[in-house]
Amino acid sequence: SLNLYRNKIGYKDGNALYKALMKNKFLTSLNLINNSIALDLNEHDIGDEGGKALAGALKDNETLTFLDLYRNNIGVEGGKALAEALKENKSLTSLDLGYNNIGDEGGKALAEALKVNKSLTSLHLGSSNIGVEGGKALAEALKVNKSLTSLHLGSSNIGVEGGKALAEALK
């Protein structure tokens, strides 16, 4: 377990961390709450390299079960990159993307990942602005996903339509 809560880890440190994570065989829990390891390509200049590095690390990592990226300014592109990683990752059981701005497109990408991911049991997307379309896409994913037992969507702007779609999916 590694807790790096509120350490002002930025682009260069984050890239080094991503590279280490790709090789890691022992770490099972990583807490990166409230850092600036942003995958929001416009605000923090982490660029495609940083997003791809984290996604690559998650695709290849076989030990990490818990990843907390709460409040890290992760945007749409970061959400999409993480979603692609979730399609291949077989160890991660808990992912916290709360208080990021992954948007509708990031929400839809995560929904597609949930259709094939069999390990994730908890996904926190509260205050991540996934919107109505992201909410509807997640509802569709819940119809086929058999592993997810906890989905946090508080303050994610899913609206009435997204809420209805989720309620229907849970019947």
Side-chain angles (χ1 to χ4, degrees):
S1 180
L2 179 59
N3 185 341
L4 295 172
Y5 173 78
R6 198 179 256 175
N7 271 291
K8 297 182 182 177
I9 296 170
Y11 167 73
K12 289 182 181 178
D13 298 325
N15 242 359
L17 185 61
Y18 301 150
K19 289 175 183 173
L21 186 59
M22 288 191 319
K23 296 176 183 176
N24 179 274
K25 302 287 184 218
F26 306 102
L27 189 66
T28 60
S29 178
L30 180 58
N31 180 338
L32 293 171
I33 291 176
N34 214 11
N35 279 286
S36 294
I37 304 173
L39 297 182
D40 180 336
L41 306 180
N42 295 320
E43 290 184 32
H44 292 280
D45 279 338
I46 196 167
D48 289 329
E49 182 182 338
K52 288 177 184 175
L54 178 57
L58 286 177
K59 285 179 186 178
D60 296 333
N61 185 283
E62 297 174 357
T63 58
L64 194 67
T65 60
F66 175 84
L67 180 58
D68 196 332
L69 294 170
Y70 181 87
R71 192 175 255 164
N72 268 284
N73 296 314
I74 297 171
V76 174
E77 295 304 315
K80 287 180 179 179
L82 288 166
E84 285 303 309
L86 286 177
K87 288 181 180 179
E88 294 183 37
N89 182 279
K90 292 174 178 53
S91 63
L92 201 65
T93 59
S94 180
L95 177 61
D96 190 339
L97 290 171
Y99 232 93
N100 286 289
N101 192 24
I102 62 170
D104 277 324
E105 293 302 313
K108 288 193 272 188
L110 285 166
E112 287 302 309
L114 286 177
K115 289 179 181 178
V116 296
N117 181 285
K118 292 177 175 50
S119 64
L120 203 64
T121 59
S122 177
L123 179 59
H124 185 290
L125 295 172
S127 299
S128 289
N129 199 29
I130 63 162
V132 174
E133 295 306 313
K136 287 187 202 176
L138 286 167
E140 287 302 309
L142 289 178
K143 291 178 182 178
V144 296
N145 181 287
K146 302 298 180 211
S147 63
L148 199 68
T149 58
S150 176
L151 177 61
H152 181 128
L153 295 172
S155 299
S156 286
N157 300 320
I158 62 169
V160 174
E161 286 181 55
K164 284 182 180 177
L166 285 161
E168 189 63 34
L170 295 174
K171 286 185 178 179

